[in-house]
Amino acid sequence: MLTYTSRKEISEKTEQLRGEGKSIGFVPTMGALHRGHLSLIERANNETDILVVSVFVNPLQFNNTGDLTSYPRDLQADKKILETVGCDIIFVPDEKEMYPKPTTEKYNFGTLETVMEGTFRPGHFNGVAIVVKRLFDIINPHRAYFGEKDYQQLTIIRKLVETEKIAVEIVSCPTLREDDGLALSSRNANLTTEQRKEASFIFQTLQLAKKRKNHICPAHLRQLIINIFDANKNFKLEYFEIVDDKTLQPIMAWESSKGMIAFVAVWLGKVRLIDNIRII
Ligand code: AMP
């Protein structure tokens, strides 16, 4: 496995490999790798000749300094994992390498970023777009893999690729979960043992939402689920929304959309967790 910290050097390497006719698969991550990341990596490995994984905790996408400082980091463990899963190239830039000058890029994702994560994490998606665009420019992959766990991010990235006319295929991968349903996330490492047990409540409640959909209208279902979270004192709900899977706008009637997803963001103590479930 080759490790690069320099943009210039990894660019030269991936261009050389492209020139040799190799297809490049890319999985961007913020490290603290878990089985969720590995599912993306495995898929990329199967579908492309060369697998590039980046590990970079992107400060621009954190709107909360506490969240940034407490974000789990373990590069040595990540490298070991990546060696064993057949990663060809790892890109580990530092902040200066990614952002030698203050950034000025301003992306506009319209109404895709005025809901859910966009509302509660101002500037988050602009920060995501800046780093992903730069990583795409540096690595120039044929295919890039993103998890449906961060579905709104995935939608924003698809929009970025379309508006910036980037020649990369975006591949979406299903959410990997623990046995009790909790979506795998690097932030789960910050949960206490007690909180970790309580956390399965999130997916259970999403499943309940899916089950109840035939019996009540979307607005009532939304309120029911909000009430269920509010009644559980372990959790502080930020939002629960049922939205169209393309526009991400709230739906008023089950017939109004062909695909719908329910999204949730909650605080469990000091840890913010997000999840989603396809309703239709
Ligand atoms: P992160 O390191 O959290 O930025 O995540 C890197 C990539 O892994 C993103 O595309 C995430 O959506 C994806 N990912 C994170 N958790 C999961 C999961 N539980 N299942 C599938 N993909 C995931």
Side-chain angles (χ1 to χ4, degrees):
M1 184 170 77
L2 298 170
T3 303
Y4 289 92
T5 54
S6 146
R7 303 162 60 137
K8 188 170 171 290
E9 284 172 19
I10 194 169
S11 280
E12 285 169 2
K13 185 67 191 174
T14 53
E15 275 322 292
Q16 176 215 319
L17 290 162
R18 265 187 168 250
E20 292 168 10
K22 301 271 199 313
S23 62
I24 316 273
F26 176 44
V27 180
T29 82
M30 297 205 296
L33 300 179
H34 50 67
R35 282 187 295 112
H37 296 115
L38 294 186
S39 68
L40 273 58
I41 287 169
E42 198 175 308
R43 174 128 182 227
N45 228 349
N46 288 339
E47 296 180 353
T48 54
D49 299 322
I50 300 291
L51 170 62
V52 181
V53 176
S54 64
V55 175
F56 178 63
V57 181
N58 174 31
L60 295 186
Q61 70 189 73
F62 285 80
N63 54 317
N64 174 324
T65 39
D67 190 24
L68 175 60
T69 47
S70 67
Y71 197 83
R73 294 165 170 86
D74 192 346
L75 185 58
Q76 289 322 312
D78 290 344
K79 278 187 172 175
K80 263 194 199 155
I81 293 171
L82 291 172
E83 291 268 10
T84 60
V85 295
C87 174
D88 299 295
I89 299 177
I90 166 170
F91 181 43
V92 204
D94 65 13
E95 215 177 305
K96 252 192 162 163
E97 187 68 14
M98 285 307 288
Y99 306 123
K101 285 187 280 191
T103 56
T104 51
E105 299 96 309
K106 285 269 172 292
Y107 293 99
N108 181 355
F109 298 108
T111 51
L112 291 179
E113 61 177 337
T114 56
V115 290
M116 303 186 293
E117 293 299 281
T119 312
F120 284 89
R121 303 186 68 187
H124 169 68
F125 286 124
N126 202 55
V128 169
I130 291 174
V131 79
V132 171
K133 170 74 166 68
R134 289 190 182 195
L135 288 168
F136 283 170
D137 287 345
I138 296 164
I139 289 156
N140 195 12
H142 294 88
R143 289 170 151 227
Y145 296 76
F146 291 86
E148 288 168 7
K149 156 85 170 34
D150 301 285
Y151 190 94
Q152 190 173 5
Q153 168 177 283
L154 172 66
T155 309
I156 294 262
I157 305 272
R158 287 195 191 284
K159 183 84 181 165
L160 174 76
V161 164
E162 184 192 314
T163 52
E164 297 295 313
K165 301 185 172 56
I166 306 170
V168 60
E169 184 187 339
I170 301 300
V171 183
S172 67
C173 305
T175 302
L176 247 83
R177 301 181 177 280
E178 301 281 8
D179 289 345
D180 66 358
L182 176 66
L184 289 161
S185 163
S186 302
R187 288 186 176 85
N188 294 353
N190 289 339
L191 296 171
T192 63
T193 315
E194 202 48 43
Q195 287 169 338
R196 170 62 196 83
K197 279 187 211 146
E198 287 155 5
S200 61
F201 179 77
I202 301 168
F203 188 57
Q204 281 163 16
T205 310
L206 287 179
Q207 283 178 307
L208 179 75
K210 184 172 176 158
K211 240 195 244 164
R212 295 294 289 273
K213 75 160 196 301
N214 296 331
H215 308 287
I216 38 179
C217 71
H220 283 145
L221 178 58
R222 177 174 175 268
Q223 195 54 54
L224 173 82
I225 299 297
I226 290 173
N227 293 346
I228 289 175
F229 273 109
D230 286 348
N232 186 329
K233 293 293 164 245
N234 295 318
F235 293 91
K236 199 168 156 287
L237 182 69
E238 270 194 353
Y239 62 77
F240 172 79
E241 300 291 348
I242 304 166
V243 306
D244 176 87
D245 65 358
K246 302 238 159 24
T247 65
L248 304 186
Q249 300 311 297
I251 46 141
M252 300 304 154
W254 298 124
E255 310 76 50
S256 67
S257 183
K258 283 202 188 92
M260 293 170 201
I261 301 183
F263 290 81
V264 68
V266 281
W267 288 88
L268 181 47
K270 291 197 172 106
V271 184
R272 186 177 184 277
L273 298 171
I274 60 169
D275 201 353
N276 65 76
I277 193 169
R278 181 167 286 279
I279 298 268
I280 293 178

